[in-house]
């Protein structure tokens, strides 16, 4: 399925409402980075960032994690337009050394929970010491997989399709500095 992006001279025109401002994002991500630092002292965690949506979140988070750590990125895809395809693909895991490592999956948003569930299953094949999830956004009302409870959640949001700060609509809007609700006219015919 493919969608046409309505023509815009400024991507802010596509946004109905700002849900989380840039300042709010930065403040909360800093708190979470410090929390991770306290929880993982002496554990040299390996952050596994799910491309592409988590890139701005990862990059901001790194500024406030002050313990030794490493990160890797893997490509995960599940969405087409505003709907999850239900089919999750993960590329790049086989190249990582994750046995006995304390992993933290870095995700942009947990919605149905399917992507995280499939990622955890795939990572478990490599026998890590532990796996936790840090997500920028959580849409708990949309959960289909009940036992997914991210340890670190920056913001819980209502069931609205959001873009910005890494989150996209058909690869667009990732470069908004805030999280906003997409105007339905952007994806309705
Ligand atoms: P889940 O597998 O349903 O939990 O969805 C997780 C993935 O769906 C995320 O990594 C996002 O790429 C995408 N996603 C879910 N909700 C939204 C949204 O509101 N805006 C943009 N992408 C979303």
């Amino acid at each position: 399925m493919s969608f046409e992006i309505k023509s815009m001279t400024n991507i802010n025109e596509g946004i109905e409402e700002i849900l989380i401002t840039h300042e709010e994002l930065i403040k909360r991500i800093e708190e979470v980075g410090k929390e991770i630092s306290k929880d993982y002292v002496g554990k040299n965690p390996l952050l596994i960032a799910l491309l592409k949506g988590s890139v701005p979140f990862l990059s901001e988070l790194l500024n406030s994690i002050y313990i030794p750590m490493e990160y890797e990125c893997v490509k995960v895809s599940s969405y087409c337009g505003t709907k999850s395809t239900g089919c999750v693909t993960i590329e790049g895991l086989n190249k990582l050394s994750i046995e006995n490592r304390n992993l933290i999956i870095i995700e942009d948003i947990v919605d149905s929970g399917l992507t995280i569930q499939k990622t955890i299953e795939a990572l478990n094949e490599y026998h890590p010491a532990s796996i936790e999830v840090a997500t920028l956004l959580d849409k708990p009302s949309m959960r289909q997989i009940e036992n997914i409870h991210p340890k670190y959640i920056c913001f819980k949001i209502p069931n609205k399709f959001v873009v910005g700060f890494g989150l996209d609509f058909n690869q667009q809007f990732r470069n908004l500095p805030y999280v906003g609700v997409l105007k339905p006219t952007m994806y309705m015919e």
Side-chain angles (χ1 to χ4, degrees), residues 11-74:
I11 54 169
N12 293 281
E13 290 168 17
I15 302 305
E16 186 169 75
E17 176 200 354
I18 296 179
L19 211 56
I20 311 167
T21 66
H22 187 70
E23 292 69 28
E24 288 168 334
L25 287 166
I26 302 308
K27 185 167 173 273
R28 177 67 187 132
I29 294 170
E30 185 181 347
E31 287 170 5
V32 169
K34 287 180 179 164
E35 209 181 318
I36 290 174
S37 304
K38 283 188 197 136
D39 292 349
Y40 283 83
V41 171
K43 293 186 174 168
N44 189 22
L46 174 59
L47 276 54
I48 307 276
L50 308 192
L51 295 173
K52 303 174 207 167
S54 71
V55 169
F57 175 37
L58 171 72
S59 113
E60 195 54 48
L61 195 61
L62 295 179
N63 290 330
S64 56
I65 298 182
Y66 53 79
I67 55 167
M69 56 142 286
E70 295 162 42
Y71 72 84
E72 296 282 359
C73 300
V74 295

Side-chain angles (χ1 to χ4, degrees), residues 9-138:
T9 50
N10 182 326
I11 54 169
N12 293 281
E13 290 168 17
I15 302 305
E16 186 169 75
E17 176 200 354
I18 296 179
L19 211 56
I20 311 167
T21 66
H22 187 70
E23 292 69 28
E24 288 168 334
L25 287 166
I26 302 308
K27 185 167 173 273
R28 177 67 187 132
I29 294 170
E30 185 181 347
E31 287 170 5
V32 169
K34 287 180 179 164
E35 209 181 318
I36 290 174
S37 304
K38 283 188 197 136
D39 292 349
Y40 283 83
V41 171
K43 293 186 174 168
N44 189 22
L46 174 59
L47 276 54
I48 307 276
L50 308 192
L51 295 173
K52 303 174 207 167
S54 71
V55 169
F57 175 37
L58 171 72
S59 113
E60 195 54 48
L61 195 61
L62 295 179
N63 290 330
S64 56
I65 298 182
Y66 53 79
I67 55 167
M69 56 142 286
E70 295 162 42
Y71 72 84
E72 296 282 359
C73 300
V74 295
K75 184 151 175 38
V76 175
S77 34
S78 67
Y79 252 57
C80 179
T82 60
K83 298 272 180 303
S84 178
T85 60
C87 167
V88 177
T89 56
I90 307 167
E91 297 164 39
L93 277 187
N94 54 347
K95 299 188 188 105
L96 308 182
S97 308
I98 50 188
E99 196 174 328
N100 289 324
R101 297 297 305 267
N102 292 292
L103 307 181
I104 307 175
I105 301 171
I106 306 297
E107 175 62 308
D108 55 357
I109 184 166
V110 180
D111 187 2
S112 67
L114 202 69
T115 303
I116 286 297
Q117 185 200 39
K118 295 283 176 199
T119 307
I120 291 173
E121 277 173 17
L123 288 169
N124 268 326
E125 299 279 317
Y126 298 86
H127 310 291
S130 66
I131 306 181
E132 294 291 354
V133 176
T135 187
L136 179 66
L137 305 177
D138 186 20

